[in-house]
Amino acid sequence: MSAGSITRHITSETPRVMVVDGSKVVRRLIEQVLKAELPGVTVISCETGAEAQAALQTGVIDLVTTSLRLPDMDGQQLARYVREHAPQAFIPIIVVSGDVHERLVQRSFSDDVTDYFDKSLGFAALGAFIRGYVQPQDEVGGEVLYVEDSKVVAVATRRMLEKHGLRVTHVVSVEDGLALLEQYAAEGRVPGPDIVLTDVYLKGGMTGHDLLEQVRSRFGYGKAQLPILVMTGDDNPANQSALLRAGANDLVEKPIEERLLVTKLLFQLRVGRIMRSKVEGH
């Protein structure tokens, strides 16, 4: 696994979407709709979970759609496999099923599933739904908790983010960031910011890795509730994987490229908002 395979981001002009369904007819229908909605799309069509597991290692996948009932496994088993074995950062996994409502009522979807689509809405609606994930429109108004101890870097990055309509609260240490999250929680603002952007190595006794563990374990904020984007100058694949396992939604390699950073932030903001509004609506 190369470092590039972990940190490479969605190529929104030419997204690669994996479609997993036991029905050849359904796979063809979804493929036709995706090609109409996303002219540059490459569709990786898989009949079984085993085929999908093998295809996952052949290149970057930007999004996975899966049926719940596959010939060789449950769709949620496949989702768990993708989470544990994907050679890249967080991948949206969309369950496409005819019994979504029943599963929602039973609260039987796992956290491995990003979203769900009811087949009764039609395949044309599915194409538009997926477009929202792989080619999200720019959004403004998001609040970023930014953890960076270099004043020069912080000023430049803050200007960059604010130029794209994002509100930025900057702190210089993990300790300060955690104190802010505690303050927000005490005020009933949970989780507070829409997303966290942090460096790995910071002044003070705690690192970006420690921040991930605190947010995910002590505060109990999941990847959808509070996305965390980590900036790292470490191109060691093992260290990058450790950050993702600790709870990072995605990584941005230094030196930071503006378009890449902003695109990643807006994408994670959108997914987080979708998931939070769905929880609040239940």
Side-chain angles (χ1 to χ4, degrees):
M1 182 194 305
S2 69
S5 70
I6 295 176
T7 57
R8 178 180 165 184
H9 178 54
I10 287 177
T11 51
S12 58
E13 295 82 10
T14 56
R16 286 167 51 85
V17 177
M18 180 185 290
V19 177
V20 192
D21 198 294
S23 166
K24 186 176 183 179
V25 173
V26 170
R27 293 199 308 275
R28 276 186 176 170
L29 283 170
I30 294 177
E31 180 171 357
Q32 288 170 3
V33 169
L34 288 177
K35 287 186 174 178
E37 281 284 332
L38 303 163
V41 73
T42 296
V43 178
I44 297 90
S45 179
C46 301
E47 179 180 3
T48 66
E51 286 182 21
Q53 289 173 353
L56 193 66
Q57 303 304 321
T58 64
V60 171
I61 302 295
D62 298 318
L63 181 140
V64 175
T65 77
T66 181
S67 169
L68 280 172
R69 296 181 177 88
L70 300 172
D72 55 346
M73 67 177 67
D74 183 272
Q76 293 202 103
Q77 287 179 268
L78 176 61
R80 165 50 54 183
Y81 182 92
V82 171
R83 292 280 172 253
E84 293 178 345
H85 296 87
Q88 67 194 88
F90 191 68
I91 303 174
I93 301 173
I94 311 300
V95 163
V96 180
S97 173
D99 64 350
V100 164
H101 179 71
E102 180 184 340
R103 293 263 185 151
L104 285 173
V105 169
Q106 296 172 349
R107 299 294 192 270
S108 59
F109 281 115
S110 70
D111 290 340
D112 301 313
V113 174
T114 308
D115 215 332
Y116 351 89
F117 183 86
D118 192 332
K119 280 183 181 177
S120 66
L121 297 176
F123 288 108
L126 175 62
F129 181 82
I130 291 174
R131 174 192 281 275
Y133 274 98
V134 297
Q135 291 188 337
Q137 298 300 310
D138 284 1
E139 296 184 42
V140 297
E143 185 174 341
V144 182
L145 174 56
Y146 176 35
V147 189
E148 170 62 65
D149 59 7
S150 166
K151 184 176 180 179
V152 173
V153 173
V155 168
T157 304
R158 181 170 191 156
R159 285 176 180 166
M160 181 194 307
L161 299 179
E162 290 178 341
K163 183 175 68 175
H164 290 272
L166 297 164
R167 300 189 308 278
V168 181
T169 300
H170 171 238
V171 295
V172 298
S173 70
V174 170
E175 290 84 348
D176 289 346
L178 294 173
L180 260 183
L181 291 178
E182 288 174 350
Q183 178 184 324
Y184 293 146
E187 296 171 351
R189 296 174 57 196
V190 176
D194 295 297
I195 192 167
V196 174
L197 175 65
T198 183
D199 199 351
V200 177
Y201 300 108
L202 299 148
K203 292 176 182 174
M206 303 181 79
T207 66
H209 193 284
D210 295 322
L211 175 61
L212 289 166
E213 292 180 339
Q214 289 287 311
V215 170
R216 300 296 182 229
S217 299
R218 180 157 72 89
F219 285 90
Y221 298 152
K223 285 185 174 181
Q225 188 176 17
L226 183 56
I228 302 177
L229 192 58
V230 178
M231 299 177 293
T232 177
D234 186 347
D235 63 359
N236 183 304
N239 294 339
Q240 292 187 352
S241 293
L243 290 168
L244 293 169
R245 285 196 303 272
N249 286 59
D250 207 344
L251 308 177
V252 186
E253 272 195 51
K254 292 181 173 181
I256 301 300
E257 194 274 310
E258 178 176 349
R259 182 177 177 274
L260 183 64
L261 173 61
V262 172
T263 300
K264 282 176 177 278
L265 268 171
L266 293 174
F267 176 75
Q268 294 298 340
L269 274 170
R270 184 179 188 282
V271 173
R273 284 174 178 165
I274 290 171
M275 296 301 288
R276 286 196 298 275
S277 65
K278 190 160 50 186
V279 170
E280 291 163 3
H282 286 332

